[in-house]
Amino acid sequence: MNPTIAIRMVGADFLKLRKKRGTLIWALVLTLAPLLIFFIVKAVQHSSSPAEHSPAGGIGGYQDALRVLAFFFGPLAGIMIGTDGGAGDLAAGVFRDLVVTGRSRLALFGARIPAAVGLTWLVVLAGYALTLIGTYALSSGTPTPGGALVVNGLLFTLFSTGVICVVAVGFASLTGSRPAALTVLIGWQLIASRILENIESLGSSRELILSQAIAHFSPISLNDGHGPRGGEVVTMSTGAAVAVTLAWIVIFAGLGAWRTRTMDA
């Protein structure tokens, strides 16, 4: 398969995801609404009692908003879009039609990943733009993030949401059911992983939790001992964080590709 065909296949998958208005709208709501609520509530608190509440923007506001976007709701949007990308063809009943065209099943699976990640990043970029607007517009004269932190925050947000989205595509392709994949991944992201992060008896095995590996690359200081999602921070080397992240991507993408290649059309 030549690059032109590959680009067309990715573009077709991207178009299919973009046309699913329900998924796209809720992904945007899930990404933007929490940030709007955060900045509005913080701004009201600061205006009513400046001595007790810091400004909604500035460096402090940026760090809090980045936690909301990169660790909570951005990844959830990635899960929504990724599971739709991974199991959407089966749910729509068009997988058989795609197979009989003679296209490689692995190519069909491979096109899902960049399409889902691309759409996730567009949604997340809207959230990051809102973060920057709130950070600078509501700083009230306090120090604001420098260019390096802004760029690093953007790259980290894209990294965090992109990794989760790839895992979601692979897992949804493996299960063949978007509702099941969506339920399991959200349950893992919001509940199970946070519980495991706080079980000290698990020791260094907690390094295998994806959220811990992702948090290692955060441009926001987490030296207070608590992770951005409320769990405990597990100290690990950069090499270990890279290895864990790649392992999650390779395992779930590999399982999704295997299932796509072997399932009955």
Side-chain angles (χ1 to χ4, degrees):
M1 182 176 64
N2 60 54
T4 301
I5 295 177
I7 292 173
R8 288 177 179 173
M9 291 178 65
V10 172
D13 272 23
F14 181 87
L15 184 61
K16 284 189 292 186
L17 288 173
R18 187 177 64 83
K19 286 185 174 181
K20 294 184 177 181
R21 301 289 179 84
T23 299
L24 182 57
I25 290 173
W26 279 111
L28 284 168
V29 169
L30 196 63
T31 302
L32 300 179
L35 292 170
L36 282 171
I37 294 171
F38 166 77
F39 282 117
I40 291 173
V41 171
K42 289 279 290 184
V44 171
Q45 289 176 335
H46 177 67
S47 63
S48 62
S49 181
E52 295 182 7
H53 300 282
S54 59
I59 292 180
Y62 172 79
Q63 292 178 340
D64 290 339
L66 189 64
R67 289 186 179 96
V68 170
L69 178 61
F71 290 100
F72 281 101
F73 295 100
L76 290 183
I79 289 174
M80 288 186 63
I81 295 173
T83 52
D84 211 340
D89 290 339
L90 280 174
V94 300
F95 180 70
R96 179 183 177 85
D97 296 334
L98 293 173
V99 170
V100 298
T101 63
R103 296 278 170 82
S104 165
R105 291 187 178 213
L106 292 181
L108 292 174
F109 171 79
R112 298 170 182 172
I113 293 178
V117 171
L119 186 59
T120 297
W121 279 354
L122 286 180
V123 171
V124 169
L125 284 173
Y128 196 75
L130 179 59
T131 297
L132 293 182
I133 292 172
T135 295
Y136 290 97
L138 302 174
S139 64
S140 299
T142 59
T144 54
L149 181 57
V150 169
V151 172
N152 289 335
L154 173 60
L155 294 177
F156 175 72
T157 302
L158 296 178
F159 167 74
S160 172
T161 55
V163 169
I164 297 294
C165 182
V166 172
V167 171
V169 172
F171 187 68
S173 298
L174 174 65
T175 62
S177 170
R178 182 177 185 264
L182 192 64
T183 301
V184 170
L185 290 174
I186 290 178
W188 168 261
Q189 183 73 10
L190 293 183
I191 302 173
S193 63
R194 295 181 65 183
I195 293 174
L196 294 175
E197 288 168 0
N198 286 288
I199 302 178
E200 296 183 359
S201 61
L202 293 177
S204 60
S205 63
R206 291 177 294 173
E207 294 181 5
L208 300 176
I209 300 174
L210 179 58
S211 58
Q212 290 290 336
I214 290 175
H216 175 82
F217 300 100
S218 172
I220 301 172
S221 176
L222 302 175
N223 293 329
D224 59 355
H226 294 284
R229 305 184 312 132
E232 183 179 345
V233 172
V234 179
T235 303
M236 67 174 70
S237 66
T238 299
V242 170
V244 170
T245 303
L246 288 177
W248 276 77
I249 292 174
V250 171
I251 289 173
F252 281 95
L255 289 172
W258 167 78
R259 180 58 178 161
T260 303
R261 186 175 64 87
T262 58
M263 72 170 58
D264 295 331

